[in-house]
């Protein structure tokens, strides 16, 4: 059987990723007449054992700081009509597209192919950049790799197939604060030697700029970008020139001061105009810099140029493929973070100039039908809503009206009418608030409920809960949607930012849900009481009562979660800190009632260390306790209080009879004894007022 595809793999000592890499190749080896060649450059016998499980063709190679030499070993042994190469720290997401390329016979119409290499910046896989990697070609006589590092396969003959297939690469994730030291320290000297030996090979300048950037040496990265551009001017290499211009724009933007960077990028755009794709990348960089530099007019102007050119690229889809080079591709320009941040900058600048027509233009370009992307911007939208108030709200409502008209749904729709249609929840939320603010609560309720039922976004749920409390809308639908731990976290964040003036409204919500969702109710009550303790500044009676209720609320909450025997005192060390705090604080409060002041103060000290968030409350309680210790009226018994009452009555009589000398004598006797008595303080002020003249 003829071999259609040779897969050549370089393997070193990366045991942890090799098997995943090989496992991702299985469908190709099963479905396509193919062979796997592993060139082993390492020393780990375990890696060698893994490699030998997958193929009989494992070739050892003594490493000599030359990637091309190692690659050429696999290429020389290859017998396939096509040749694919990769590293052991890469693995395919899905190779079905490549399989179909061969099974359908489509491969006969192409001479080479690119797929996407996704280079991750963190181990969580949330930050990455995509690179269009030339990794597949027909085998031609004389084909070989050249370049000691970041090697290239020659010749590269058109036409080229561009796969959407993605290979995952974690090789550049930074493991330490100093970055990926081992790779950069290995690559930079090799690239410097390569430039010394072949000063006209542009790719070495490109790779060296990237390596210095990864190492955090942006000055050197910029230097080699500029040197690469000088080499390109001699060779008329448009692709490399475009890449270097785009990368240079990124590097100069890192330097202090935006004005020199803006000027340089504008020069890059006008001198030797780059391809459309690179112009888009430069426009994006310019828009961001102009927005930062408070040049809103320029940012909006470049925004219009960007959108016009983007439309042209989309109308002629082949331009994306033809102009892609390295990571600068359609995906780079249209990656949600980059594309919508560009439009965000433009909208912000338009609003800064109160140019609501342009603000509407850029805002309408947001993906209002895709909440997964849109939700990243909710917090920014809320800042704009607070800054620009009614004009921004009107803008959002106009977008909603246009979307609903396009969908054939009435603006005053019934929830059932929206069945099967993806409506922008954030915009519907704004419409509901508009109804509430106009006093049309009933009209807004169905929209508000729809929003609750159609989002799981944390930011939007916070907004919904906050407004439900403010407008006294039922929070039962929201509580019904949420697991207890998520609800607990949500109410904690919302109540922390609520003004204390809404504390009574919180209590209404607590009562509303306590029958159906008692634990959810306790979560809300706990936060309400915490707010009351910290923002309500209660005096002694209110302070002790609220703290006691707060602690009881916490203990009741955990009684609903844990078995009774788990809550015994001897097991408390294993329980959450807030529960331990509540038990000790309740004991301390009981000691206060029994006037066991030293013991109460000691216990409050223990509680203070367990839950530092309540330190302000405990400090104030101890301060008031110490102050009350010196108040004889609190410890004098019934006879003392009766005598004090009689003396105050006598004092009032003397005062109103203008017998000031006798009144002054009694006042001077009473004040040191009962300094906390408000009635006595009032009488003293009246005495001063009457005797002032």
């Amino acid at each position: 059987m003829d071999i259609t595809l040779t897969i050549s793999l370089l393997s070193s000592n990366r045991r942890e990723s090799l098997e995943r890499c090989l496992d991702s190749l299985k469908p190709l080896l099963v479905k396509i007449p193919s062979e796997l060649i592993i060139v082993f450059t390492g020393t780990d016998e375990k890696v060698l054992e893994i490699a030998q499980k997958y193929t009989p063709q494992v070739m050892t190679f003594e490493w000599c700081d030359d990637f091309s030499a190692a690659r050429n070993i696999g290429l020389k042994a290859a017998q396939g009509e096509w040749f694919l190469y990769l590293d052991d720290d890469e693995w395919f997401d899905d190779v079905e597209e490549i399989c179909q390329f061969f099974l359908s016979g489509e491969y006969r119409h192409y001479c080479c192919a690119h797929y996407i290499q996704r280079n991750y910046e963190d181990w969580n896989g949330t930050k990455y950049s995509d690179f269009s990697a030339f990794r597949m070609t027909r085998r031609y006589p004389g084909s070989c790799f050249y370049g000691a590092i970041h090697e290239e396969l020659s010749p590269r003959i058109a036409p080229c197939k561009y796969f959407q297939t993605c290979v995952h690469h974690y090789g550049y994730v930074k493991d330490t604060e100093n970055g990926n030291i081992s790779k950069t320290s290995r690559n930079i000297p090799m690239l410097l030697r390569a430039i010394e030996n072949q000063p006209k090979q542009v790719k070495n300048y490109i790779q060296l700029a990237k390596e210095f950037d990864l190492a955090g040496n942006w000055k050197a990265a910029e230097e080699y970008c500029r040197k690469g551009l000088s080499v390109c001017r001699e060779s008329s290499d448009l692709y490399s020139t475009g890449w270097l211009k785009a990368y240079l724009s990124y590097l100069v933007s890192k330097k202090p001061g935006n004005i020199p960077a803006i000027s340089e990028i504008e020069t890059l755009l006008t001198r030797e105009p780059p391809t459309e794709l690179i112009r888009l990348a430069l426009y994006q960089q310019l828009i961001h810099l102009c927005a930062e530099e408070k040049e809103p007019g320029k940012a909006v102007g470049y925004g219009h140029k960007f959108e016009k050119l983007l439309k042209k690229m989309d109308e002629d889809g082949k331009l994306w493929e033809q102009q892609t080079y390295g990571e600068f591709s359609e995906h780079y320009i249209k990656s949600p973070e980059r594309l919508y941040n560009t439009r965000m900058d433009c909208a912000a600048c338009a609003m800064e100039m109160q140019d609501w027509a342009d603000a509407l233009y850029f805002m309408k370009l947001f993906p209002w039908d895709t909440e997964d992307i849109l939700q990243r911007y909710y917090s920014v939208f809320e800042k704009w809503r607070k800054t620009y108030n009614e004009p921004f709200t009107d803008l959002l409502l106009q977008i909603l009206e246009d979307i609903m008209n396009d969908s054939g749904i009435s603006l005053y729709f019934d929830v059932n009418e929206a069945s099967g249609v993806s409506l922008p929840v954030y915009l519907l939320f704004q419409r509901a608030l508009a109804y509430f603010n106009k006093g049309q609560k009933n009209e807004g309720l169905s929209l508000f409920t729809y929003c609750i039922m159609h989002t799981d976004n944390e930011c939007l749920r916070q907004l919904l809960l906050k407004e439900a409390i403010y407008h006294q809308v039922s929070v039962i639908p929201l509580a019904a949607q949420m697991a207890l731990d998520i609800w607990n976290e949500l109410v904690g964040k919302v109540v922390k930012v609520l003004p204390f003036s809404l504390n009574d409204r919180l209590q209404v919500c607590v009562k509303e849900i306590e029958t159906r969702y008692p634990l959810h109710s306790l979560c809300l009550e706990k936060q309400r009481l915490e707010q009351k303790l910290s923002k309500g500044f209660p005096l002694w009676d209110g302070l002790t009562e609220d703290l006691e209720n707060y602690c009881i609320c916490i203990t009741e909450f955990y009684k609903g979660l844990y078995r009774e025997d788990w809550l015994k005192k001897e097991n408390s060390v294993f329980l959450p800190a807030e529960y331990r705090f509540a038990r000790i604080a309740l004991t301390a409060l009981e000691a206060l009632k029994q006037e066991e002041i030293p013991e109460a103060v000691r216990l409050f000290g223990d509680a203070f260390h367990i839950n530092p968030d309540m330190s302000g409350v405990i400090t104030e309680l101890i301060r008031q306790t110490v102050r009350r210790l010196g108040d004889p009226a609190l410890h004098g018994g019934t006879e003392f209080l009766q005598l004090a009452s009689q003396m105050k009555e006598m004092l009032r009589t003397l005062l109103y009879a203008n017998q000031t000398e006798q009144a002054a004598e009694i006042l001077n006797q009473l004040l040191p004894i009962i300094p906390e008595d408000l009635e006595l303080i009032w009488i003293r002020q009246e005495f001063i007022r009457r005797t002032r003249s």
Side-chain angles (χ1 to χ4, degrees):
M1 180 185 292
D2 291 336
I3 298 175
T4 305
L5 176 66
T6 295
I7 304 170
S8 181
L9 172 70
L10 276 193
S11 174
S12 58
N13 287 332
R14 287 188 280 247
R15 190 191 311 178
E16 66 281 0
S17 60
L18 174 61
E19 197 146 17
R20 182 178 289 189
C21 171
L22 292 169
D23 184 68
S24 74
L25 298 173
K26 280 180 182 177
L28 281 171
L29 296 171
V30 170
K31 295 181 179 182
I32 309 300
S34 53
E35 63 174 350
L36 172 63
I37 298 173
I38 298 178
V39 180
F40 178 58
T41 65
T43 56
D44 189 333
E45 290 296 324
K46 292 286 186 183
V47 172
L48 194 57
E49 288 177 17
I50 294 170
Q52 288 168 342
K53 288 180 182 177
Y54 282 81
T55 179
Q57 297 193 82
V58 179
M59 302 176 177
T60 57
F61 177 81
E62 188 173 342
W63 183 244
C64 60
D65 283 349
D66 190 330
F67 281 91
S68 286
R71 293 282 190 205
N72 282 326
I73 293 294
L75 180 58
K76 185 177 179 181
Q79 298 181 55
E81 182 180 349
W82 277 69
F83 183 81
L84 182 158
Y85 65 98
L86 71 164
D87 292 332
D88 60 353
D89 62 350
E90 303 173 314
W91 57 88
F92 282 102
D93 186 33
D94 184 353
V95 294
E96 188 58 32
E97 186 184 14
I98 298 176
C99 288
Q100 290 304 314
F101 176 69
F102 288 107
L103 291 172
S104 67
E106 185 185 5
Y107 72 98
R108 297 189 182 95
H109 305 295
Y110 291 93
C111 296
C112 66
H114 283 224
Y115 56 73
I116 295 170
Q117 183 187 58
R118 181 156 290 172
N119 296 304
Y120 291 92
E121 299 173 26
D122 60 30
W123 290 112
N124 294 327
T126 55
K127 293 183 179 180
Y128 59 81
S129 60
D130 283 352
F131 181 91
S132 181
F134 166 55
R135 292 293 188 86
M136 287 177 63
T137 182
R138 286 181 181 274
R139 273 196 319 118
Y140 295 99
S143 293
C144 71
F145 288 92
Y146 66 91
I149 185 169
H150 298 295
E151 64 285 359
E152 283 197 349
L153 180 56
S154 179
R156 185 188 308 194
I157 300 173
C160 181
K161 170 71 175 178
Y162 287 87
F163 291 113
Q164 294 306 305
T165 297
C166 176
V167 68
H168 302 283
H169 180 233
Y170 283 78
Y172 288 107
V173 174
K174 294 179 180 179
D175 282 322
T176 69
E177 291 181 1
N178 297 320
N180 203 327
I181 297 171
S182 61
K183 243 183 184 178
T184 53
S185 61
R186 176 200 71 187
N187 291 350
I188 288 173
M190 292 171 66
L191 285 164
L192 288 170
R193 286 196 299 271
I195 286 176
E196 187 177 347
N197 295 331
Q198 294 178 299
K200 301 299 182 184
Q201 189 170 320
V202 178
K203 186 170 182 181
N204 289 328
Y205 294 93
I206 291 173
Q207 296 299 340
L208 192 53
K210 291 179 72 173
E211 293 292 345
F212 274 124
D213 182 23
L214 282 169
N217 189 343
W218 299 303
K219 186 176 180 180
E222 181 186 345
E223 176 190 347
Y224 280 93
C225 251
R226 295 188 188 280
K227 287 182 177 180
L229 279 170
S230 296
V231 173
C232 285
R233 290 189 186 102
E234 299 174 16
S235 63
S236 300
D237 184 345
L238 292 177
Y239 288 104
S240 297
T241 299
W243 188 97
L244 287 161
K245 283 186 175 183
Y247 209 71
L248 182 60
S249 75
Y250 153 76
L251 291 170
V252 297
S253 300
K254 287 190 170 192
K255 296 162 71 173
N258 290 331
I259 293 176
I262 291 170
S263 176
E264 174 131 23
I265 297 170
E266 288 176 332
T267 301
L268 291 172
L269 277 164
T270 53
R271 184 191 299 164
E272 303 166 4
T275 62
E276 287 89 345
L277 192 154
I278 298 302
R279 266 190 285 161
L280 288 171
L282 296 178
Y283 283 145
Q284 285 181 319
Q285 202 71 44
L286 266 178
I287 289 164
H288 177 67
L289 290 170
C290 290
E292 279 196 342
E293 196 55 34
K294 301 300 180 185
E295 292 194 30
K298 288 184 77 170
V300 170
Y302 282 122
H304 282 293
K305 289 182 178 181
F306 172 83
E307 296 296 344
K308 183 178 179 181
L309 186 54
L310 185 64
K311 184 179 180 181
K312 175 188 173 183
M313 292 287 284
D314 284 339
E315 287 172 350
D316 185 358
K318 289 183 179 179
L319 286 175
W320 290 113
E321 288 188 1
Q322 292 168 359
Q323 297 181 13
T324 290
Y325 189 77
E327 61 264 48
F328 297 111
S329 61
E330 181 179 10
H331 177 83
Y332 177 89
I333 300 298
K334 292 183 176 179
S335 63
E337 184 175 2
R338 187 171 289 103
L339 178 61
Y340 296 116
N341 282 358
T342 297
R343 290 168 175 168
M344 179 75 70
D345 283 335
C346 291
C349 287
M351 283 185 277
E352 189 178 333
M353 298 187 295
Q354 297 189 0
D355 181 352
W356 299 106
D358 273 337
L360 180 62
Y361 170 77
F362 289 110
M363 288 291 289
K364 286 180 75 171
L365 295 172
F366 273 79
W368 296 104
D369 59 344
T370 312
E371 191 181 6
D372 285 348
I373 297 175
L374 199 65
Q375 63 189 11
R376 306 173 194 177
Y377 302 100
Y378 288 158
S379 58
V380 180
F381 293 161
E382 284 303 297
K383 288 178 183 177
W384 289 349
R385 192 160 67 93
K386 290 176 183 176
T387 303
Y388 299 109
N389 298 312
E390 191 173 334
F392 181 68
T393 301
D394 290 344
L395 183 152
L396 294 177
L397 296 181
Q398 180 61 56
I399 295 172
L400 175 63
E401 186 173 350
D402 292 345
I403 290 170
M404 298 186 79
N405 285 337
D406 292 342
S407 303
I409 298 176
S410 166
L411 192 61
Y412 308 98
F413 78 107
D414 182 83
V415 172
N416 295 324
E417 190 181 341
S419 178
V421 179
S422 179
L423 292 170
V425 178
Y426 181 78
L427 296 182
L428 293 174
F429 170 64
Q430 299 305 321
R431 169 58 65 184
L433 290 187
Y435 281 130
F436 291 161
N437 292 331
K438 291 176 182 177
Q440 298 172 305
K441 188 172 180 179
N442 290 335
E443 288 85 345
L445 278 175
S446 62
L447 285 176
F448 198 83
T449 305
Y450 178 92
C451 294
I452 289 174
M453 303 299 289
H454 288 81
T455 186
D456 58 2
N457 174 256
E458 180 185 352
C459 177
L460 193 48
R461 279 177 164 176
Q462 287 181 36
L463 294 172
L464 286 162
L465 179 58
K466 179 182 174 183
E467 296 297 339
I469 293 166
Y470 182 80
H471 293 286
Q472 293 292 266
V473 175
S474 174
V475 298
I476 287 177
L478 194 57
Q481 290 283 103
M482 302 175 69
L484 185 61
D485 57 334
I486 299 173
W487 170 264
N488 191 29
E489 185 178 355
L490 176 73
V491 298
K493 290 178 178 178
V494 170
V495 175
K496 273 183 173 62
V497 299
L498 280 181
F500 181 68
S501 58
L502 297 181
N503 196 271
D504 289 343
R505 300 189 191 187
L506 274 172
Q507 193 167 22
V508 173
C509 295
V510 169
K511 295 294 183 185
E512 179 200 17
I513 64 173
E514 66 180 352
T515 302
R516 291 180 62 178
Y517 302 104
L519 291 178
H520 288 66
S521 175
L522 286 169
C523 288
L524 193 55
E525 175 68 353
K526 179 186 70 172
Q527 294 296 335
R528 184 189 76 82
L529 289 167
E530 191 170 315
Q531 185 199 59
K532 196 174 180 185
L533 285 163
S534 59
K535 294 183 180 180
F537 306 109
L539 296 178
W540 179 260
D541 290 337
L543 183 61
T544 53
E545 181 183 354
D546 289 341
L547 181 59
E548 183 174 19
N549 289 335
Y550 173 74
C551 294
I552 290 171
C553 182
I554 291 173
T555 56
E556 289 299 312
F557 176 75
Y558 285 102
K559 283 178 183 178
L561 292 181
Y562 291 93
R563 282 177 11 196
E564 186 177 348
D565 57 319
W566 290 4
L567 297 175
K568 290 180 179 177
K569 187 175 181 180
E570 58 267 25
N571 295 327
S572 63
V573 68
F574 303 110
L575 296 170
E578 67 174 7
Y579 178 79
R580 301 200 306 275
F581 167 85
R583 287 189 66 156
I584 292 175
L586 284 171
T587 306
L589 287 167
E590 184 59 33
L592 272 184
K593 291 176 184 177
Q594 302 301 322
E595 296 193 3
E596 298 171 359
I597 306 301
E599 176 64 6
V601 171
R602 183 190 70 77
L603 288 167
F604 279 129
D606 291 343
F608 177 97
H609 292 296
I610 291 172
N611 189 357
D613 288 345
M614 294 297 291
S615 59
V617 174
I618 296 300
T619 300
E620 176 61 18
L621 188 63
I622 292 174
R623 187 190 71 80
Q624 291 195 33
T625 299
V626 171
R627 188 173 165 188
R628 288 167 65 82
L629 278 173
D631 189 349
L634 299 175
H635 313 286
T638 304
E639 291 182 4
F640 177 86
L641 293 175
Q642 288 176 347
L643 178 61
S645 178
Q646 292 170 3
M647 292 182 72
K648 283 190 287 183
E649 185 62 36
M650 186 186 301
L651 182 60
R652 278 193 294 270
T653 301
L654 292 170
L655 184 61
Y656 286 109
N658 287 321
Q659 297 181 27
T660 54
E661 288 186 13
Q662 296 92 325
E665 185 178 342
I666 295 174
L667 188 62
N668 291 334
Q669 291 175 359
L670 276 179
L671 267 175
I673 298 173
I674 44 178
E676 298 289 326
D677 192 292
L678 285 177
E679 187 179 4
L680 194 59
I681 291 171
W682 188 93
I683 292 172
R684 182 175 186 272
Q685 292 176 77
E686 179 65 12
F687 174 80
I688 292 171
R689 191 180 67 81
R690 284 171 177 265
T691 58
R692 184 163 53 101
S693 58

